[in-house]
Amino acid sequence: MTNQAAPPSRRDKCLPDGARFLKSWLGRPLQVGAVQPSGRALARTMAGYVDPAVPGPVIEIGPGTGPVTAALLERGIAPERLVLVEYSTEFCSLLRRRYPGVTVIEGDAYGIAATLAPRTLPPATAVVSSLPLLTRPVEQRLSLLRQCFAMMRPEGPFIQFTYGAAAPIPARGVDYAASPSRRVWLNVPPARVWVYRQAR
């Protein structure tokens, strides 16, 4: 007889986002990577690198409880353009309730090519990532970056934040380059956004 996870209690459904993140981090620290969701200033900084006028889907990976999703919607990205890839079943349920019209896919973002293969999406405008990349080997981070480049328009940005001082993926490669934002001091802890683009 297989054990099935119990459905979330009413108390769990009423948890504030910070408590949800802490609970998930305690259970899966390497997959969640943070003890609290991105702050509003950081989310707006990330969304600011996405041009709503450029057509195509906007793929968000590791959305968690959705602070960057909210910032993308505020930025002017229509809900039907947003494709969210989230590993946590609990967070997927929350995102579907919180953001009707947004596509939420439960799956592995590090294997994003396989995860999204059944969808036959047009070239993406951008990929926005809140994944805890520093918990993964650099080869896996580079693989993720190149999978995302293959899904995007040639000029599309891969947008990633980090709490660290160094780039979360090496800042320069044979086929890409990256540039950082100023440090977002209003976030707790302070963070920086790195934007990666394919070499032309």
Side-chain angles (χ1 to χ4, degrees):
M1 183 176 181
T2 57
N3 292 325
Q4 294 184 346
S9 66
R10 179 172 297 185
R11 182 179 178 183
D12 283 345
K13 289 182 179 179
C14 296
L15 283 174
D17 285 357
R20 288 180 192 277
F21 243 80
L22 180 59
K23 179 183 174 184
S24 292
W25 179 82
L26 289 170
R28 299 177 293 113
L30 293 181
Q31 290 173 347
V32 177
V35 297
Q36 60 185 353
S38 301
R40 193 173 180 85
L42 176 58
R44 284 180 168 175
T45 300
M46 296 177 77
Y49 288 103
V50 181
D51 185 351
V54 177
V58 175
I59 301 170
E60 186 185 354
I61 53 180
T65 58
V68 179
T69 310
L72 288 166
L73 292 168
E74 289 175 6
R75 173 81 171 145
I77 306 298
E80 60 270 19
R81 292 181 61 192
L82 284 175
V83 178
L84 278 50
V85 179
E86 172 57 51
Y87 189 80
S88 164
T89 301
E90 179 186 356
F91 286 167
C92 283
S93 297
L94 174 70
L95 291 164
R96 291 185 184 109
R97 292 196 305 270
R98 187 170 282 178
Y99 303 110
V102 169
T103 299
V104 180
I105 299 170
E106 184 176 343
D108 178 15
Y110 290 99
I112 192 167
T115 299
L116 294 184
R119 297 274 166 171
T120 60
L121 297 171
T125 304
V127 175
V128 186
S129 171
S130 298
L131 294 174
L133 293 187
L134 296 181
T135 65
R136 301 295 179 117
V138 67
E139 294 82 6
Q140 193 171 17
R141 294 179 242 161
L142 287 166
S143 171
L144 171 66
L145 178 65
R146 292 193 168 107
Q147 288 179 73
C148 291
F149 280 159
M151 296 179 172
M152 282 193 285
R153 304 169 69 92
E155 70 279 11
F158 176 90
I159 302 157
Q160 172 73 48
F161 85 87
T162 183
Y163 301 126
I169 300 172
R172 198 164 287 277
V174 295
D175 55 351
Y176 73 87
S179 59
S181 72
R182 294 182 178 180
R183 188 163 289 278
V184 183
W185 293 104
L186 292 178
N187 197 68
V188 181
R192 178 171 279 129
V193 178
W194 284 82
V195 180
Y196 294 78
R197 298 183 190 271
Q198 299 179 69
R200 297 191 179 183

